[in-house]
Amino acid sequence: MGPPVRVVLVDDHEMILAGLQAMLAGFAGRVRVVGQAGTSREAVRLVTALRPDVVLLDVRLGPESGLDLCRDLTARSPATRVVFLSVYDDEQYVFEALRAGAGGYLLKRVDGLELVRRLEEVSQGETVVDPTLAGRMAASAARLNRGEFWPGANRGLTQRESEVLSLLVAGLSNRAMASRLVLSEETVKSHLRALYRKLEVTDRSAAIAVALREGLFR
């Protein structure tokens, strides 16, 4: 057995960080937590200084994007792998995470032994995805291969982001979109931030203008 996997934990909830620390403490011979951060700035500082094998990261860090942080960390420390640990069991988040350069996407209900195994696999260059999401990802990939694209796919929009954009064009508020899609308002805001970035706009009006100009929705 080689040296333990050196891990930095990143989450904006102290209870989650404490829980992960306690969970991994029983596997000290296989995984060693070398640092933890609650913000993107702290995470960048730690990873730049420590060059860990793996960063265990949440998709959202309060108002900040874990996806943006993933891109930043992999650019600064290419040898460090990023694994998302999230409550969001939507395959679209997995696609976005992998596009951002992540080496894995796991759900927060994972137990300690499974988490350690996955961290070891990622540190060895493998890509890991929670088994409950892998099947749905395969189905989505098959639809893409059959040419079943959704509006905005050519701009990198996920299917969920395309749905949000269609409701944006229809004039729905964030609350109304959340109700229609059975999502939280915070999740809708996260999708909006992502589609703004991909459409290279900064607000609702500009996103609607792009959608109408490119004929995505009418």
Side-chain angles (χ1 to χ4, degrees), residues 61-194:
L61 302 171
E64 302 176 308
S65 167
L67 295 170
D68 289 340
L69 177 57
C70 177
R71 296 183 186 93
D72 193 4
L73 295 180
T74 53
R76 291 171 182 268
S77 182
T80 297
R81 307 295 305 284
V82 174
V83 175
F84 282 96
L85 186 64
S86 175
V87 296
Y88 299 109
D89 62 349
D90 187 328
E91 67 270 21
Q92 303 302 333
Y93 277 107
V94 186
F95 284 123
E96 280 299 291
L98 298 181
R99 287 193 191 101
Y105 190 102
L106 302 173
L107 297 178
K108 285 187 175 178
R109 57 175 175 256
V110 67
D111 63 39
L113 180 57
E114 180 67 14
L115 178 57
V116 169
R117 287 173 177 164
R118 296 301 190 175
L119 292 175
E120 290 174 333
E121 291 169 355
V122 168
S123 72
Q124 294 164 9
E126 298 185 32
T127 298
V128 300
V129 175
D130 191 282
T132 62
L133 292 168
R136 280 185 267 163
M137 286 184 64
S140 294
R143 289 198 301 271
L144 284 173
N145 288 335
R146 291 195 300 267
E148 297 175 8
F149 293 99
W150 47 81
N154 64 319
R155 295 292 297 263
L157 298 188
T158 65
Q159 191 168 6
R160 179 67 80 188
E161 289 161 2
S162 178
E163 292 170 347
V164 170
L165 181 56
S166 72
L167 297 179
L168 190 64
V169 172
L172 273 68
S173 66
N174 289 358
R175 177 174 295 181
M177 285 191 276
S179 177
R180 178 77 63 87
L181 297 173
V182 195
L183 299 171
S184 70
E185 284 191 61
E186 192 57 42
T187 299
V188 168
K189 291 177 183 177
S190 178
H191 288 312
L192 286 170
R193 287 194 294 268

